DNA sequence: CGTTCGATGCACT
DNA sequence: GTGCATCGAACGT
């Protein structure tokens, strides 16, 4: 667990109302917290991806405004949660400003609180703690995030993102993963070498802190 | 170590 | 009917 350097502070809407790539890298080290009836679970964000506008072919807004993509066009600082592959919920933080469809997909967390609750929710409760929130589908499962939290206010709801003072070192940017278009830009940001980052073990080990900033 | 593939349900055309 | 911003088990090497 990284050293905590200050008391938790919930991120305000201003944090999200900025260029999406800035928000994406600044989210690394922040803490996603879900306070539910079942209890509290939280983890530090170690991997994220930016999806930016209707011209980004991998962004859900590439095909325009629909009922599903409506939250992307809404105010920044809200959650955009959707259901994928028939079994996984994925959570994004909406960025930019109203009318500009953009968001940051949260892909992996280092568990900090509620590890036992995460185990109860996960399909593989015996996995090492660091693997409980590795991958975008896994982290929503571990934190109990589903469509009920779509459009939730990330500054004032059961689902928040907070600054606990963690400041990971230099970050690495790579192409986004799991998509068939829009793989050119390096819009995935992560803590290099962190064992909670998604992907095969070889790739996680291969990352080194010198990679890039 | 690597790759392949089934599960599973919904939004959108 | 098609295609997913996935996961992990089951294989092959």
């Amino acid at each position: 667990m990284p050293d905590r350097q200050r008391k938790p502070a919930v991120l305000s809407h201003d944090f999200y109302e900025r260029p999406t790539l800035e928000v994406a890298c600044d989210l690394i080290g922040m803490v996603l917290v879900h306070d539910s009836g079942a209890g509290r679970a939280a983890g530090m964000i170690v991997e994220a991806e930016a999806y930016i506008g209707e011209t980004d072919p991998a962004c859900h807004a590439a095909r325009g405004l629909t009922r599903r993509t409506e939250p992307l066009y809404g105010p920044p600082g809200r959650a955009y949660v959707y259901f994928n592959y028939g079994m996984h919920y994925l959570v994004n933080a909406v960025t930019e400003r109203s009318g500009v469809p953009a968001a940051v997909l949260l892909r992996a967390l280092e568990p900090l609180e509620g590890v036992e609750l995460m185990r109860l929710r996960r399909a593989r409760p015996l996995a090492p703690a660091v693997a409980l929130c590795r991958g975008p589908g896994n982290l929503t499962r571990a934190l109990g995030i589903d469509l009920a939290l779509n459009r939730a206010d990330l500054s004032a709801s059961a689902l928040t993102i907070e600054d606990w003072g963690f400041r990971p070192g230099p970050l690495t940017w790579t192409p986004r993963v799991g998509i068939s278009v829009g793989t050119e830009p390096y819009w995935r940001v992560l803590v290099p070498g962190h064992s909670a980052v998604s992907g095969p073990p070889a790739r996680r080990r291969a990352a080194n802190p010198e990679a890039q900033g």
Side-chain angles (χ1 to χ4, degrees):
Chain A
M1 175 134 66
D3 291 332
R4 184 183 303 192
Q5 294 168 12
R6 72 160 94 141
K7 291 183 177 175
V10 178
L11 299 179
S12 70
H13 294 142
D14 293 345
F15 178 92
Y16 303 95
E17 194 163 3
R18 293 185 294 147
T20 303
L21 293 176
E22 288 182 20
V23 177
C25 63
D26 288 351
L27 278 173
I28 304 298
M30 300 300 172
V31 180
L32 182 66
V33 181
H34 184 207
D35 238 316
S36 76
R40 182 176 148 98
M44 183 181 75
I45 300 166
V46 297
E47 178 188 357
E49 286 177 353
Y51 290 84
I52 311 175
E54 295 178 342
T55 57
D56 173 4
C59 183
H60 286 175
R63 286 187 289 274
L65 176 61
T66 67
R67 189 163 75 257
R68 180 208 215 188
T69 62
E70 198 270 338
L72 280 175
Y73 290 79
R78 311 286 274 263
Y80 168 49
V81 182
Y82 73 97
F83 187 59
N84 200 17
Y85 288 108
M87 59 188 77
H88 301 293
Y89 299 101
L90 275 62
V91 63
N92 298 252
V94 176
T95 61
E96 308 279 346
R97 61 186 191 278
S98 290
V100 179
V104 175
L105 169 69
L106 305 182
R107 289 193 56 90
L109 312 175
E110 175 185 331
L112 296 177
E113 284 187 16
V115 169
E116 290 315 305
L117 180 55
M118 292 177 184
R119 290 191 189 285
L120 288 174
R121 288 167 167 156
R122 280 295 313 274
R124 290 171 63 232
L126 300 182
V130 74
L132 292 172
C133 300
R134 180 192 291 159
N138 286 335
L139 81 86
T140 56
R141 179 90 183 255
L143 265 62
I145 296 170
D146 62 17
L147 289 179
L149 288 168
N150 193 22
R151 306 169 190 253
D153 186 340
L154 294 173
S155 300
S157 74
L159 185 67
T160 55
I161 301 180
E162 307 177 1
D163 184 358
W164 289 15
F166 301 135
R167 291 295 181 270
L171 304 179
T172 294
W173 292 87
T174 79
R176 296 171 295 182
V177 298
I179 53 178
S180 55
V181 292
T183 54
E184 308 84 16
Y186 279 39
W187 286 354
R188 173 180 181 237
V189 62
L190 53 87
V191 179
H194 197 291
S195 55
V197 169
S198 69
R203 183 189 299 171
R204 286 198 296 274
R205 268 202 310 279
N208 76 307
E210 314 289 328
Q212 37 186 306

